[in-house]
Amino acid sequence: MWMEVLDATYLNGYRILVKFNDGINKVVDLTNVIKQYSVFKPLKDLALFKQLS
């Protein structure tokens, strides 16, 4: 089955709730990814991060 993200909802910090097309919901914490990779540097701004989820 092909996985598709149906929705992403901001929770707190750098955590989002991701809802998939198979009915599974997962909380994803992107803190380490945002801190580790410079390409995500703009997302350190929580106001911007909240807009994207």
Side-chain angles (χ1 to χ4, degrees), residues 1-50:
M1 174 187 265
W2 184 257
M3 297 295 290
E4 182 179 344
V5 174
L6 299 179
D7 190 38
T9 305
Y10 175 77
L11 296 176
N12 56 37
Y14 295 105
R15 296 173 58 222
I16 57 174
L17 173 63
V18 182
K19 297 180 181 183
F20 295 94
N21 63 327
D22 63 355
I24 293 177
N25 298 327
K26 293 283 184 178
V27 175
V28 179
D29 187 344
L30 297 170
T31 303
N32 291 336
V33 173
I34 291 171
K35 289 180 179 179
Q36 184 175 1
Y37 298 102
S38 61
V39 69
F40 297 114
K41 185 176 181 179
L43 295 178
K44 286 183 179 180
D45 176 359
L46 274 176
L48 177 61
F49 183 84
K50 289 176 186 180

